[in-house]
């Protein structure tokens, strides 16, 4: 008999998790190359003693929306944005990880690193060394890094068939179980950064929706509690018979 | 409620953003000031349900797990080393660099600092010094009997002495460049210091390959673009408001829970 309450609760806990997700999207509106996420819901069928089945709500997944952000000029030599579906390859010392946040720096050994200090890889999976001799560094759309006429290396850019298998690792990094393929449809833009793809309007709408849905479930729970109370009262009193 | 913590990281990040922007605006008229930008990163993700985990005994696999991020943090603030426009001052010891490079300045503690602020003066002993009285390196002494000083694009300091027709060379100004300018540390007073991230400087005469040229009688203005800063300020304010909206929503949802009979 209390099924309605449990179904309501399943919806409320799913909504609370989605609120955390929307909060994370909104917190990252200014994070370079951030990809927003949406929650997936589905019914979860449960057998009852009666004929019909009951559907609980479960939030069975989050999906990362890989829609590209807009490119913003920054004028910095080592800010590189990717136009197209590609990812840079970085090495955190344990495994290769992938990122679209091209806000790179140099470490004390003159190697190209990400904001987290992970090494950026070249097409031979080696770190990229930039000599400190004052020559202007140019990065061409295909990733070739050159200082004047001398070619210093080439940034590794990879693409994936199934972006749904990519998992976030924080610090703009992604991890995947899929093997990367060399980029074909991606071009690099030096002196640019990709902005976050969070849209204020859609997040705000979702926020209102979550709050109202939560209130709706609460009203339903109130009514259900009232129904139980009145039925207990009526059935329990001798006049009811 | 986790959303409360997440939204508070968002508000803190936007606050940093506004602080960076306000420092840019405050330095709009600072000679050779380079505007800053704040750079953000998402925090770690919690795997509430891992991608690829089994969803039944038959070995069916979850196509997309539940990942919840826990917010944002400020990763860095970096300088945008775009050239500021040159302003004519007609002051004979005002020098502007067009292109790459920094003047070298000897600090009282013996360390070398770097600056693009070329509003120099001459000390009592005739040395070329910054507005704070720190000597420009390599040292240049202008003789007191000089009636005219010319500093050419490649940094040669030529003086014309009273009663002489030919100009004599009294020194050569050198510039320093860093491969990663963005890694230089600020020391205030328009001075920058070398760090591990910036790398060691390489020095050469102005106008040599990769180095900028000097312009006498000009100073470099800041590269702060008020329109850009105001736009960024509005964006930051709206993002801050949006985060506070999340807090408000979380609060109202908690209030809803409290009202349950």
């Amino acid at each position: 008999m209390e099924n309605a309450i449990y179904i309501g609760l399943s919806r409320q806990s799913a909504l609370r998790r989605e609120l955390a997700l929307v909060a994370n999207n909104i917190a990252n509106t200014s994070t370079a190359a951030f990809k927003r996420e949406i929650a997936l819901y589905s019914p979860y069928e449960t057998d009852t003693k009666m004929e019909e089945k009951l559907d609980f709500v479960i939030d069975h997944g989050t999906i990362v929306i890989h829609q590209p952000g807009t490119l913003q000029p920054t004028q910095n030599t080592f800010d590189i944005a990717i136009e197209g579906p590609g990812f840079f390859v970085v090495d955190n010392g344990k495994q290769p990880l992938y990122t679209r946040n091209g806000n790179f720096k140099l470490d004390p050994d003159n190697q190209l690193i990400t904001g987290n200090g992970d090494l950026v890889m070249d097409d031979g999976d080696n770190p990229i060394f930039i000599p400190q001799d004052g020559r202007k560094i140019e990065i061409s759309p295909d990733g070739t890094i050159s200082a004047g006429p001398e070619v210093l290396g080439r940034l590794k850019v990879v693409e994936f068939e199934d972006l749904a298998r990519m998992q976030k690792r924080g610090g703009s990094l992604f991890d995947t179980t899929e093997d990367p393929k060399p980029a074909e449809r991606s071009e690099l833009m030096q002196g640019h950064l990709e902005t976050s793809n969070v849209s204020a309007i859609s997040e705000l709408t979702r926020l209102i929706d979550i709050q109202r849905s939560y209130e709706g479930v609460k009203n339903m729970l109130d009514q259900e509690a009232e129904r139980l109370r009145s039925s207990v009262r009526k059935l329990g009193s001798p006049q009811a018979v | 409620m986790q959303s409360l913590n997440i939204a508070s990281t968002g508000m803190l990040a936007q606050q940093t953003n506004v602080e960076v922007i306000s420092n840019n605006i405050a330095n709009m008229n600072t000679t050779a000031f380079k505007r800053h930008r704040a750079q953000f990163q998402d925090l770690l993700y919690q795997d509430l349900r891992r991608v690829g985990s089994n969803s039944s005994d038959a070995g069916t696999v979850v196509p997309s797990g539940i990942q919840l991020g826990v917010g944002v943090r400020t990763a860095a603030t970096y300088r945008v080393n775009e050239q500021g426009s040159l302003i004519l001052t007609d002051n004979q010891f005002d020098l502007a660099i067009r292109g790459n490079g920094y003047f070298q300045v000897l600090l009282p503690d013996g360390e070398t600092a770097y600056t693009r602020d070329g509003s120099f003066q001459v000390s009592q002993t005739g040395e070329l010094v910054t507005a704070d009285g720190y000597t420009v390196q390599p040292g240049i002494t202008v003789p007191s009997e000089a009636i005219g000083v010319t500093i050419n694009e490649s940094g040669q300091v030529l003086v014309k002495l009273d009663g002489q027709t030919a100009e004599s060379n009294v020194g050569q100004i050198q510039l320093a460049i860093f491969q990663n300018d963005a890694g230089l540390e600020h020391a205030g007073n328009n001075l920058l210091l070398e760090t591990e991230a910036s790398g060691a400087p390489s020095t050469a005469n102005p106008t040599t390959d990769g180095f900028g040229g000097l312009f006498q009688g000009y100073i470099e203005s800041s590269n702060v673009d008020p329109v850009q800063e105001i736009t960024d300020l509005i964006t930051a304010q709206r993002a801050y408001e949006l985060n506070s909206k999340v807090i408000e929503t979380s609060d109202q949802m908690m209030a809803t829970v409290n009202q349950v009979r």
Side-chain angles (χ1 to χ4, degrees):
Chain A
M1 192 159 87
E2 289 83 17
N3 277 333
I5 289 175
Y6 290 125
I7 289 174
L9 275 177
S10 75
R11 172 83 173 124
Q12 280 192 323
S13 54
L15 281 168
R16 272 172 79 140
R17 274 220 282 258
E18 194 185 354
L19 179 67
L21 190 105
V22 171
N24 190 50
N25 285 346
I26 289 176
N28 283 292
T29 37
S30 306
T31 306
F34 179 80
K35 302 292 169 203
R36 72 193 166 93
E37 290 167 83
I38 56 168
L40 274 187
Y41 291 105
S42 62
Y44 187 81
E45 265 188 13
T46 315
D47 286 324
T48 60
K49 285 174 196 152
M50 291 159 281
E51 277 295 295
E52 76 268 35
K53 293 188 170 180
L54 282 176
D55 285 347
F56 282 83
V57 179
I58 58 161
D59 45 344
H60 78 209
T62 52
I63 300 182
V64 180
I65 306 291
H66 283 276
Q67 179 196 13
T70 51
L71 300 191
Q72 202 178 30
T74 63
Q75 324 266 358
N76 264 24
T77 312
F78 297 121
D79 279 348
I80 309 152
I82 302 178
E83 251 185 328
F87 288 84
F88 294 110
V89 183
V90 306
D91 192 344
N92 65 351
K94 290 186 218 102
Q95 60 177 130
L97 290 169
Y98 308 97
T99 185
R100 281 176 66 86
N101 183 353
N103 178 228
F104 299 142
K105 299 178 174 64
L106 291 182
D107 74 357
D109 302 327
N110 295 351
Q111 299 179 110
L112 203 59
I113 53 168
T114 66
N116 303 325
D118 301 333
L119 289 166
V120 182
M121 293 288 113
D122 72 359
D123 52 3
D125 285 323
N126 295 311
I128 295 163
F129 180 81
I130 308 278
Q132 305 256 15
D133 52 9
R135 283 177 297 174
K136 193 160 170 48
I137 305 293
E138 300 271 2
I139 294 155
S140 68
D142 69 348
T144 310
I145 307 167
S146 46
E150 191 198 340
V151 174
L152 302 171
R154 189 164 169 233
L155 279 162
K156 185 172 188 177
V157 180
V158 294
E159 288 173 7
F160 297 95
E161 213 135 79
D162 186 12
L163 289 174
R165 279 160 72 177
M166 301 204 87
Q167 274 196 288
K168 290 192 175 184
R169 280 285 166 268
S172 311
L173 295 171
F174 285 92
D175 189 7
T176 182
T177 49
E178 192 186 338
D179 287 329
K181 293 185 306 172
E184 282 167 1
R185 291 170 293 153
S186 303
E187 286 200 346
L188 302 186
M189 293 267 283
Q190 189 184 15
H192 286 74
L193 280 181
E194 184 181 346
T195 59
S196 148
N197 71 353
V198 175
S199 144
I201 305 292
S202 59
E203 298 303 328
L204 196 61
T205 318
R206 199 65 211 120
L207 204 59
I208 295 168
D209 195 1
I210 291 170
Q211 192 193 341
R212 294 301 171 208
S213 305
Y214 198 83
E215 281 173 11
V217 178
K218 184 248 167 191
N219 288 338
M220 192 271 283
L221 290 180
D222 273 353
Q223 282 166 23
E224 180 62 13
E226 185 55 44
R227 191 181 66 81
L228 282 175
R229 188 180 296 124
S230 70
S231 55
V232 167
R233 198 184 295 130
K234 279 188 184 144
L235 292 172
S237 65
Q239 287 90 344
V241 184
Chain B
M1 278 256 197
Q2 202 175 14
S3 48
L4 279 174
N5 293 326
I6 298 171
S8 69
T9 66
M11 287 176 89
L12 282 172
Q14 292 307 332
Q15 198 172 322
T16 310
N17 207 356
V18 170
E19 279 160 8
V20 170
I21 294 167
S22 62
N23 188 51
N24 286 347
I25 293 175
N27 282 293
M28 219 164 73
N29 293 322
T30 305
T31 312
F33 177 80
K34 302 289 175 207
R35 70 172 190 268
H36 285 58
R37 289 185 66 86
Q39 190 64 37
F40 302 102
Q41 265 179 1
D42 46 354
L43 292 176
L44 289 174
Y45 285 77
Q46 296 172 309
D47 288 312
L48 298 181
R49 191 181 194 196
R50 285 189 65 84
V51 179
S53 59
N54 286 352
S55 53
S56 73
D57 292 345
T60 48
V61 167
V62 182
S64 51
I66 303 174
Q67 281 206 301
L68 275 188
V70 294
V72 65
R73 72 182 173 100
T74 312
T77 58
Y78 64 91
R79 257 197 330 278
V80 178
N81 286 304
E82 194 189 0
Q83 169 91 45
S85 49
L86 303 188
I87 298 171
L88 182 69
T89 60
D90 276 338
N91 213 330
Q92 65 176 349
F93 293 116
D94 278 348
L95 294 175
I97 305 169
R98 199 177 67 179
N100 245 335
Y102 296 88
F103 295 111
Q104 303 166 72
V105 174
L106 185 70
L107 298 181
D109 62 2
E111 221 182 324
T112 307
Y114 303 89
T115 184
R116 282 178 68 92
D117 173 7
S119 53
F120 298 138
Q121 283 157 36
V122 174
S123 71
Q124 295 141 311
T125 54
E127 273 187 314
L128 197 61
V129 295
T130 66
D132 289 324
Y134 303 154
T135 337
V136 177
Q137 295 290 305
I140 285 158
T141 308
V142 178
S144 52
E145 60 270 28
I147 51 167
V149 177
T150 314
I151 299 164
N152 65 20
E153 201 178 340
S154 49
Q156 285 174 319
V157 186
L158 306 163
V159 294
K160 197 169 155 59
L161 299 174
D162 204 9
Q164 289 190 358
T165 45
E167 287 182 323
S168 51
N169 189 338
V170 296
Q172 167 75 51
I173 295 174
Q174 285 200 323
L175 295 180
I177 55 172
F178 297 87
Q179 199 60 273
N180 186 25
D181 299 45
L184 289 167
E185 184 195 339
H186 279 258
N189 300 334
N190 289 353
L191 298 174
L192 299 161
L193 295 175
E194 177 190 334
T195 66
E196 277 202 332
S198 70
S202 40
T203 56
N205 294 345
T207 66
T208 43
D209 193 26
F211 287 74
L214 298 189
F215 285 83
Q216 188 184 17
Y218 289 87
I219 53 167
E220 185 181 350
S221 65
S222 84
N223 68 356
V224 178
D225 172 7
V227 180
Q228 178 72 47
E229 296 303 328
I230 295 297
T231 319
D232 287 352
L233 196 62
I234 294 170
T235 316
Q237 188 192 346
R238 293 303 172 208
Y240 192 83
E241 283 174 9
L242 205 53
N243 279 296
S244 76
K245 197 86 198 161
V246 174
I247 290 184
E248 195 185 321
T249 305
S250 311
D251 180 42
Q252 282 170 2
M253 277 169 64
M254 283 206 287
T256 309
V257 178
N258 290 340
Q259 287 158 16
V260 172
R261 276 170 285 177

